[in-house]
């Protein structure tokens, strides 16, 4: 019984260590890209915000105006954030995801994950998803 317990404990510890390896060192360039887009939205400069989008997003929305309308309607907490905190940078399924906690101007909090794409040394945003979290609105 003791061997079973120790074996199970070792397995849990190793699994935890493998999971922890997915957390990467923070990358200031990734944070600068996300913050640059947020700053552009705050300034109502959808053209500048669109420049931070990866090619897949640019193809999907085609114009800065269409992109801006989607963000205003679908991600109002990104369009006008009250506060922004950067969390973990993780590699998931071969992609880099930057977790960001956004508090909107009404005080509601949202956990967002930004999928990042490296284009010849320049980071671009390839997607954003809202992550449900206990005690945080989504």
């Amino acid at each position: 019984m003791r061997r079973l317990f120790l074996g199970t404990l070792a397995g849990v510890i190793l699994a935890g260590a493998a999971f922890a390896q997915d957390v990467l060192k923070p990358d200031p360039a990734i944070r600068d890209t996300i913050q640059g887009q947020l700053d552009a939205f705050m300034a109502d400069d959808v053209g500048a915000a669109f420049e931070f989008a990866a090619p897949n997003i640019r193809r999907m929305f085609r114009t800065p105006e269409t992109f801006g309308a989607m963000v205003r309607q679908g991600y109002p907490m990104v369009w006008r954030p009250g506060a922004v905190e950067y969390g973990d940078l993780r590699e998931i399924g071969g992609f880099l995801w930057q977790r960001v906690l956004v508090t909107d101007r009404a005080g509601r909090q949202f956990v967002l994950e930004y999928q990042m794409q490296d284009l010849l040394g320049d980071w671009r945003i390839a997607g954003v998803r809202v992550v449900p979290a206990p005690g945080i609105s989504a």
Side-chain angles (χ1 to χ4, degrees), residues 44-57:
D44 290 323
D45 189 347
V46 293
F50 197 55
E51 291 295 318
F52 291 101
N56 64 315
I57 300 296

Side-chain angles (χ1 to χ4, degrees), residues 26-91:
D27 187 328
I30 287 176
R31 290 181 180 194
D32 289 348
T33 296
I34 295 168
Q35 192 61 52
Q37 188 178 65
L38 292 171
D39 291 345
F41 286 137
M42 292 286 292
D44 290 323
D45 189 347
V46 293
F50 197 55
E51 291 295 318
F52 291 101
N56 64 315
I57 300 296
R58 295 170 65 84
R59 280 190 301 275
M60 186 182 309
F61 293 101
R62 297 187 183 177
T63 69
E65 294 74 26
T66 305
F67 176 67
M70 179 278 298
V71 173
R72 270 192 306 275
Q73 294 169 7
Y75 296 89
M77 76 291 278
V78 170
W79 184 256
R80 290 293 185 266
V84 177
E85 294 177 45
Y86 292 90
D88 292 336
L89 176 63
R90 294 185 178 271
E91 183 175 350

